[in-house]
Amino acid sequence: MPIPGSGLAKGLAVTLRTMTRKSVTEQYPDAQPELPPRTRGVIGLFEENCTVCMLCARECPDWCIYIDSHKETVPPAAPGGRERSRNVLDRFAIDFSLCMYCGICIEVCPFDALFWSPEFEYAETDIRDLTHERDKLREWMWTVPAPPALDPAAEEPKEIAAARKTADKLAAAQAEPAEPQGGES
């Protein structure tokens, strides 16, 4: 049979033990946290790679990516060629009040225009200010860490191996001496 008040004594003992330990709290604004190198903070935009294909906006489950563009005609590259049209990015915005940080937009981008940045200090006092336009997204791009180095023991990607094989064949064909043509003299 338990002694009356033993539960209270155990609780007070835990409290006293905890009170005597050194605190491990980091004072956040004064001391920046040590984050892992590939932290998912915010999405950065490398605008030069964006072709306005709209894949990121279509695949986003929250519909928090807003893209506007217009068509522009490009003069022919060679005389006698035809004019081409291309999409020009007018607006690229992400509403971080809706974003669930799933990373689908980054994964589906075929042109590597979106990246995870470790920035996490983008709080606003008004929720309407959490829609960040392309200028802000471009600023975050410069905080994206470089990708990890390739494993030197890994086998070469098949695309690079095929290109190397073709280049070696071409170099071997050019190195062969030209055979004399024509009849006997």
Side-chain angles (χ1 to χ4, degrees):
M1 182 162 169
I3 301 173
S6 65
L8 178 64
K10 286 181 184 177
L12 286 173
V14 169
T15 302
L16 287 173
R17 215 176 17 244
T18 306
M19 287 175 54
T20 59
R21 289 189 190 147
K22 185 176 183 326
S23 176
V24 293
T25 304
E26 292 184 27
Q27 301 301 321
Y28 162 63
D30 301 327
Q32 292 295 321
E34 200 59 39
L35 298 173
R38 304 301 288 177
T39 299
R40 288 184 174 193
V42 72
I43 298 169
L45 171 68
F46 190 55
E47 193 173 335
E48 290 77 17
N49 285 358
C50 184
T51 61
V52 197
C53 66
M54 305 278 198
L55 272 174
C56 55
R58 282 196 306 259
E59 295 296 325
C60 179
D62 293 332
W63 290 80
C64 64
I65 300 175
Y66 309 111
I67 301 175
D68 292 330
S69 67
H70 70 276
K71 292 228 184 253
E72 191 174 84
T73 53
V74 179
R82 67 180 180 96
E83 289 184 337
R84 308 239 180 218
S85 65
R86 69 178 181 107
N87 285 330
V88 177
L89 185 65
D90 292 329
R91 179 180 186 225
F92 193 104
I94 299 177
D95 188 351
F96 287 104
S97 65
L98 296 175
C99 183
M100 64 181 186
Y101 303 92
C102 63
I104 292 174
C105 57
I106 295 169
E107 295 296 323
V108 300
C109 182
F111 302 104
D112 289 333
L114 297 172
F115 294 90
W116 282 116
S117 167
E119 288 293 314
F120 62 92
E121 296 175 317
Y122 54 95
E124 301 288 343
T125 56
D126 188 1
I127 195 168
R128 292 173 291 207
D129 294 335
L130 281 172
T131 301
H132 293 291
E133 299 292 331
R134 68 181 181 178
D135 298 333
K136 188 68 174 174
L137 299 175
R138 188 182 314 117
E139 286 177 28
W140 285 325
M141 186 60 211
W142 308 121
T143 63
V144 172
L150 297 176
D151 183 6
E155 64 182 62
E156 190 174 47
K158 62 183 177 188
E159 295 87 354
I160 294 175
R164 186 180 317 285
K165 185 177 178 183
T166 304
D168 290 344
K169 282 183 183 178
L170 186 62
Q174 289 176 350
E176 289 180 6
E179 294 182 20
Q181 292 184 0
E184 298 173 8
S185 34

